[in-house]
Amino acid sequence: MPRDFLDPYSRGNSICHRLPDRLKILLVLAMIITALFVPPENWPVHGCMAAAVFLAMTLAGIPLRYLLVRLMFFFPMIMGLAIAVPASTGFTKGWDVMATVLLRGTLSFMGVLWLVNVTPFDRLLVALRQLGLPQMLAAILAFMYRYIFVVFDELERMREGRRARTFSKQGLLAAWKTNAQLIGMLLIRSMNRAERVHGAMCARGFDGEIRTLDT
């Protein structure tokens, strides 16, 4: 099975992969909207939705380890957002709001994670356009997905160059400073690359519409 960089299981052949693309998007949107409007006191409903997502991931052949790794990256961000509510009141109240944010955010994240791993990104964009996604937003998403690989390659070359010029072990402060410089240089190079790519596409008649070979 072809393994993509960001969605390694999107080109499988399970029953989830064979569902119509627009149907999968609508199912995930329905789950997210349900999670938003069902109060946390009705936790059995949220539990049923979480069980449905786990079942869908099992049917799609997505390993549990992959889900856990993605949740490890997601939880610090959602936790930082959720804990800001009780922190703003001196941790005297707001814990119910924090639990609500965690519950709804985690369910929404797992639903979107399932969607991008059962639908290749190019087909996902086509289905979103058919559902009314603005053309400009679709183009931005398509370019983001296409050129994020170029950015990662550029970052890896910069890291290799830094390691080749560093002959002693850096301290924590020096490492932070070096990484900050790398991020700044990467941002400048990415902007320059984006300008060159945009100029080349305009010279070839790009009109803002994303076209694919998939009918």
Side-chain angles (χ1 to χ4, degrees), residues 16-215:
C16 295
H17 293 83
R18 293 194 296 268
L19 289 174
D21 297 333
R22 283 179 289 182
L23 176 61
K24 289 182 282 190
I25 295 174
L26 293 175
L27 286 175
V28 172
L29 285 177
M31 191 205 71
I32 293 175
I33 293 174
T34 304
L36 289 176
F37 283 97
V38 173
E41 291 79 11
N42 297 333
W43 58 266
V45 178
H46 294 91
C48 290
M49 287 191 293
V53 173
F54 277 113
L55 177 61
M57 289 190 173
T58 302
L59 293 175
I62 302 174
L64 180 61
R65 182 177 180 274
Y66 173 84
L67 174 61
L68 294 177
V69 171
R70 293 299 185 271
L71 287 175
M72 285 175 57
F73 286 101
F74 173 74
F75 267 127
M77 294 184 291
I78 191 66
M79 180 62 73
L81 176 64
I83 203 172
V85 178
S88 63
T89 61
F91 297 100
T92 57
K93 57 182 180 179
W95 296 102
D96 54 341
V97 179
M98 174 181 171
T100 302
V101 172
L102 286 174
L103 183 62
R104 293 174 175 173
T106 303
L107 280 174
S108 301
F109 174 77
M110 291 194 301
V112 173
L113 188 64
W114 173 81
L115 177 62
V116 299
N117 277 283
V118 296
T119 312
F121 198 79
D122 52 345
R123 284 170 40 194
L124 184 62
L125 284 181
V126 172
L128 288 172
R129 284 286 292 132
Q130 293 171 350
L131 290 173
L133 183 72
Q135 175 182 334
M136 182 59 67
L137 184 56
I140 291 174
L141 291 175
F143 291 139
M144 178 194 70
Y145 185 79
R146 167 61 181 86
Y147 289 103
I148 195 172
F149 306 97
V150 179
V151 173
F152 273 99
D153 290 340
E154 188 72 23
L155 176 61
E156 187 60 30
R157 287 194 294 268
M158 293 170 61
R159 293 176 63 184
E160 288 290 339
R162 184 195 65 178
R163 285 194 290 265
R165 293 168 176 81
T166 304
F167 300 100
S168 59
K169 187 176 180 180
Q170 289 184 319
L172 182 61
L173 182 60
W176 275 93
K177 181 179 179 181
T178 303
N179 290 331
Q181 292 173 347
L182 278 179
I183 294 174
M185 293 173 59
L186 180 63
L187 177 62
I188 295 174
R189 292 191 181 189
S190 299
M191 294 175 63
N192 291 334
R193 176 68 67 88
E195 291 179 358
R196 293 199 301 270
V197 170
H198 182 261
M201 294 183 66
C202 290
R204 290 165 174 81
F206 177 67
D207 59 358
E209 180 69 27
I210 301 299
R211 298 174 175 87
T212 65
L213 296 177
D214 190 354
T215 57

